[in-house]
Amino acid sequence: MLVVLMAVSFFSPRAAAQADTPPRVLVVHSYHEGQQEHVVDMTEGIEEALAGIDRELRYFHMDTKRNTSEVWKRQAGQRAKEILAEYRPQVVIAMDDNAQQYFTKDYAGQPGPPWFVFSGVNNDPAEYGFPAANVTGVLERPNVMESIELLRKIRPEVKRLLILADKSETTDPLIAYCKTLHLPVTVVAYDQPLTLAAWKAVLDRYHQQIDAVGLYVIRTIARSATDPTKVPEEELVRLLNEHYRLPTVGFYDSAAESGVLCAVSVSMKEQGRAAGLIARELLAGKRPGDFVVKPTDHGRIQLNLRTAEQLGIQIPYHIIKRAEVVIR
């Protein structure tokens, strides 16, 4: 009788349904769902990598680019943990540094599954305890050298550069990384203005000492000390182009779209695809320790021909032919 009861329990519709459930993948994005040239591209890459296999996919967006307070970030990380406990995925893909800081790092070293795959990480992964027995992933290393070399092909006279970025978990590692490079130009200063007034002040201070401006992520600069509304990156770049008339080079995904003259950006789609391919192999039976943590190596040449015309700069046609993003 006991054997019969066990057999009935095992072959019950509920147990059969659980056995037939496809493996689950949870994707936790640091930023908001509609963030163009970043989250949208990452998601496209993930879904391409996971196409054609039996899996269930769920997304959670922490929205920490538009909401930058420590309280919000911690609450978003806690919500991600609640979703993980409820959803019980086999693999978790966590995108960008905030997802690691406020979510993934708290699981590092635990027995898996779930297995964790990080991507879009600018910081040293060791800061989060990665890699670990249950965690592997993909680094994001901005194409700083390549971008500056592109600028110098367009403007060979550029020798002195000011590098600007906002102040965030993404940009602090970028500045530290830049300082390790032997760049073909002199970086006069690095600055991370917090407000629009500070943005103008740093440009006023340095614009006669430099030949160009390098820009990384500039999405969290506030309208003022009393107005936390974020100034659109297009407005910041437009001010630079119209008032200071300096060539600009970007190290981020939406550089040309925001008015920057040129850039060689990391492909966010490739960051998503690389993470998705690892997740695919983990679902097939591999373990995190089977993968080497490394950056993606595909860069996208970006050009803004309208900015070039505004500044009176002629971009050689052979460079335009090679560009993946051209704003006309």
Side-chain angles (χ1 to χ4, degrees):
M1 178 63 72
L2 179 59
V3 171
V4 171
L5 288 174
M6 289 176 64
V8 169
S9 175
F10 183 81
F11 290 108
S12 68
R14 182 177 179 182
Q18 289 176 341
D20 291 340
T21 299
R24 300 186 182 102
V25 179
L26 173 64
V27 180
V28 177
H29 277 291
S30 293
Y31 310 131
H32 53 284
E33 183 175 4
Q35 187 188 25
Q36 296 294 325
E37 306 292 336
H38 196 92
V39 172
V40 171
D41 286 2
M42 285 176 159
T43 296
E44 187 176 339
I46 290 169
E47 294 186 354
E48 280 188 8
L50 293 176
I53 64 170
D54 190 27
R55 84 289 188 279
E56 186 179 301
L57 198 55
R58 180 171 176 178
Y59 290 93
F60 174 64
H61 297 83
M62 294 174 64
D63 199 5
T64 61
K65 189 65 73 177
R66 299 185 299 188
N67 301 280
T68 58
S69 73
E70 187 68 14
V71 171
W72 178 280
K73 292 173 183 176
R74 291 187 183 281
Q75 289 176 343
Q78 181 58 37
R79 179 59 185 142
K81 293 174 184 177
E82 291 168 359
I83 292 171
L84 173 62
E86 168 213 331
Y87 189 54
R88 300 179 66 184
Q90 281 74 20
V91 176
V92 179
I93 300 174
M95 306 300 288
D96 291 301
D97 283 85
N98 279 342
Q100 320 313 325
Q101 177 66 31
Y102 297 94
F103 170 61
T104 313
K105 76 172 187 178
D106 293 337
Y107 299 93
Q110 294 185 9
W115 308 123
F116 290 83
V117 183
F118 63 84
S119 188
V121 167
N122 294 273
N123 212 343
D124 180 349
E127 294 289 324
Y128 310 121
F130 309 156
N134 62 330
V135 184
T136 188
V138 183
L139 299 175
E140 180 185 341
R141 290 295 178 262
N143 297 315
V144 176
M145 185 75 75
E146 295 85 348
S147 296
I148 293 174
E149 289 173 346
L150 174 63
L151 173 64
R152 282 169 54 83
K153 288 176 182 176
I154 297 169
R155 300 291 282 181
E157 67 272 22
V158 170
K159 296 179 181 177
R160 300 169 301 168
L161 195 68
L162 168 66
I163 292 184
L164 294 177
D166 61 22
K167 181 71 174 172
S168 66
E169 291 85 354
T170 298
T171 55
D172 290 346
L174 175 277
I175 290 177
Y177 175 62
C178 285
K179 292 178 179 179
T180 69
L181 301 174
H182 297 288
L183 298 173
V185 296
T186 298
V187 178
V188 173
Y190 297 92
D191 210 301
Q192 295 170 278
L194 301 179
T195 65
L196 179 58
W199 175 267
K200 294 176 181 177
V202 70
L203 288 167
D204 286 339
R205 186 182 316 133
Y206 290 111
H207 80 277
Q208 292 185 339
Q209 304 174 39
I210 58 177
D211 306 312
V213 179
L215 300 170
Y216 193 41
V217 178
I218 48 173
R219 295 173 182 141
T220 67
I221 295 171
R223 182 67 61 184
S224 71
T226 56
D227 181 358
T229 305
K230 304 302 180 286
V231 182
E233 56 192 44
E234 295 85 356
E235 181 179 339
L236 296 169
V237 178
R238 184 170 62 249
L239 173 70
L240 208 163
N241 289 337
E242 293 177 356
H243 188 71
Y244 300 96
R245 299 190 61 80
L246 287 164
T248 47
V249 58
F251 317 128
Y252 62 104
D253 40 33
S254 56
E257 192 73 32
S258 62
V260 174
L261 175 66
C262 65
V264 180
S265 64
V266 174
S267 168
M268 292 299 105
K269 184 175 180 180
E270 189 65 23
Q271 286 278 308
R273 182 187 291 113
L277 289 173
I278 293 174
R280 186 182 183 114
E281 294 197 55
L282 291 172
L283 292 174
K286 286 196 174 183
R287 299 293 184 95
D290 296 329
F291 302 91
V292 176
V293 174
K294 61 182 181 179
T296 54
D297 56 10
H298 178 70
R300 297 194 311 163
I301 295 177
Q302 301 183 39
L303 301 171
N304 191 309
L305 302 188
R306 285 183 290 192
T307 298
E309 183 178 6
Q310 180 183 9
L311 299 178
I313 294 172
Q314 185 71 38
I315 299 179
Y317 180 66
H318 72 274
I319 294 178
I320 297 174
K321 276 181 62 178
R322 292 176 52 221
E324 288 188 40
V325 179
V326 179
I327 307 299
R328 300 179 185 275

